């Protein structure tokens, strides 16, 4: 468990809490939000604290958690920010040249990848491991990419199914104007350079007039690191990756052992 930052926040001033989905809100074991987390979010809302989703998932893949009445959604790792009323506050797509280069590369080399846009998700070359990954996330396998008729102008995020050892060279060679982040050993999320969940938090803080010193976030994967480092109080789940725990202000219990509720009670944000 890490020490709090020297300028640690007055937890009585917390006005917004941001939650990753997979491994933070949604259990990999049950594919459900723990009852204790549902209760914690309800109490936060009653106290007038804003609650937001902050995920690498597409906006099309979060319908099953909207019942918790979040105030807004940071999706595609910050590339698409939308309020619960449906107002799009921010949208940034991958450089079309990078998307075209990805398609060209896959046309000549074995590579599995997926592309995500406002209109849906599409995948190229589904292996048994990839099918198993979608089952692990309780998501359907997307339809296949039409390589000859892909809208390269409006891709919000990609996933490249390569190892971490191959990632840096691939990005430098094929998608130099994009950035990769990883929360699974099987694949990396690909977003526009400079894009991260931090950007999404900045968007919503500006929209709601909230200072970053009044923010808190929960996460477990590599794509949560910028978010946890940026907010005033960054919480790693007990089931988080080691590198996430290393940079967090506090490490709570596992998702399946009431980690979110315990952390909020630990800091006196809820009773």
């Amino acid at each position: 468990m890490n020490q709090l930052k020297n300028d640690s926040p007055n937890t009585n001033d917390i006005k917004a809490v941001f939650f990753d989905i997979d491994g933070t809100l949604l259990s990999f074991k049950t594919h459900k939000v723990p009852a204790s987390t549902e209760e914690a979010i309800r109490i936060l809302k009653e106290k007038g604290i804003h609650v937001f989703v902050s995920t690498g998932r597409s906006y099309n893949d979060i319908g099953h958690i909207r019942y918790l009445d979040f105030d807004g959604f940071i999706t595609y790792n910050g590339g698409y920010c939308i309020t619960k009323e449906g107002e799009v506050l921010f949208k940034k797509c991958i450089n079309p040249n990078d998307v075209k280069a990805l398609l060209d590369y896959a046309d000549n080399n074995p590579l599995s990848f997926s592309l995500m846009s406002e209109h849906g998700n599409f995948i190229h070359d589904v292996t048994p491991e990839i099918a198993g990954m979608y089952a692990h996330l309780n998501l359907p396998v997307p339809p296949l990419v039409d390589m000859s008729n892909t809208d390269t102008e409006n891709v919000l995020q990609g996933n490249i199914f390569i190892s971490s050892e191959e990632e840096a060279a691939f990005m430098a060679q094929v998608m130099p104007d994009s950035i990769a982040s990883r929360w699974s050993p099987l694949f990396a999320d690909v977003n526009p350079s400079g894009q991260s969940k931090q950007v999404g938090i900045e968007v919503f803080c500006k929209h709601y007039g909230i200072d970053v010193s009044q923010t808190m976030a929960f996460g477990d994967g590599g794509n949560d690191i910028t978010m946890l480092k940026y907010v005033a109080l960054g919480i790693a789940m007990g089931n988080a990756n080691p590198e996430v725990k290393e940079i967090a202000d506090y490490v709570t219990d596992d998702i399946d052992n009431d980690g979110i509720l315990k952390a909020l009670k630990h800091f006196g944000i809820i009773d």
Side-chain angles (χ1 to χ4, degrees):
M1 189 175 298
N2 297 327
Q3 296 295 316
L4 287 174
K5 300 167 186 171
N6 292 330
D7 54 346
S8 57
N10 180 348
T11 53
N12 292 325
D13 291 338
I14 294 295
K15 302 298 183 188
V17 185
F18 297 83
F19 299 93
D20 172 55
I21 293 182
D22 298 295
T24 301
L25 281 177
L26 273 183
S27 167
F28 287 122
K29 295 179 181 178
T30 67
H31 300 302
K32 295 180 180 179
V33 178
S36 62
T37 298
E38 293 181 335
E39 177 69 3
I41 291 172
R42 182 188 65 78
I43 295 171
L44 290 173
K45 295 281 290 183
E46 286 182 352
K47 292 172 67 72
I49 297 173
H50 293 287
V51 292
F52 302 96
V53 164
S54 184
T55 182
R57 288 192 182 217
S58 77
Y59 183 63
N60 305 305
D61 288 331
I62 60 173
H64 53 319
I65 52 89
R66 292 184 193 171
Y67 73 95
L68 293 169
D69 192 29
F70 290 99
D71 294 292
F73 306 92
I74 299 168
T75 58
Y76 307 98
N77 289 313
Y80 190 79
C81 301
I82 185 169
T83 67
K84 68 177 181 180
E85 295 83 12
E87 180 183 0
V88 177
L89 302 179
F90 181 81
K91 175 183 174 182
K92 185 176 182 181
C93 295
I94 295 175
N95 186 324
N97 291 331
D98 277 15
V99 180
K100 293 171 185 174
L102 172 65
L103 296 175
D104 290 342
Y105 182 92
D107 210 25
N108 297 286
N109 301 274
L111 177 71
S112 297
F113 67 89
S114 65
L115 300 176
M116 304 178 184
S117 73
E118 290 175 279
H119 307 296
N121 305 337
F122 303 91
I123 196 164
H124 174 62
D125 185 24
V126 181
T127 66
E129 292 79 12
I130 292 171
M133 183 273 294
Y134 278 97
H136 183 57
L137 296 175
N138 199 30
L139 291 172
V141 176
L144 292 177
V145 172
D146 182 351
M147 297 283 282
S148 64
N149 190 32
T150 299
D151 180 5
T152 59
E153 301 287 331
N154 292 292
V155 175
L156 286 159
Q157 181 168 293
N159 296 125
I160 49 172
F161 293 85
I162 60 176
S163 69
S164 57
E165 292 76 17
E166 300 171 286
E167 180 184 304
F170 176 88
M171 294 300 296
Q173 174 189 348
V174 181
M175 306 185 78
D177 200 31
S178 301
I179 188 171
S181 60
R182 185 176 291 266
W183 58 271
S184 166
L186 189 60
F187 69 93
D189 292 338
V190 177
N191 298 97
S193 290
Q195 194 61 55
S196 70
K197 292 183 178 184
Q198 174 182 332
V199 173
I201 292 173
E202 292 171 348
V203 167
F204 275 109
C205 283
K206 181 178 179 180
H207 182 72
Y208 283 100
I210 297 168
D211 190 84
V212 68
S213 66
Q214 301 171 312
T215 60
M216 179 181 190
F218 289 83
D220 71 302
N223 61 341
D224 296 317
I225 289 176
T226 59
M227 171 174 73
L228 298 186
K229 291 174 71 173
Y230 180 65
V231 296
L233 188 55
I235 310 297
M237 304 302 293
N239 49 277
N241 296 339
E243 64 269 23
V244 180
K245 292 180 178 179
E246 180 64 29
I247 60 87
D249 297 308
Y250 182 78
V251 179
T252 187
D253 213 330
D254 290 5
I255 179 175
D256 295 297
N257 199 27
D258 306 331
I260 287 176
L261 180 66
K262 287 178 178 177
L264 291 169
K265 287 188 172 183
H266 173 82
F267 287 103
I269 297 167
I270 63 177
D271 297 328

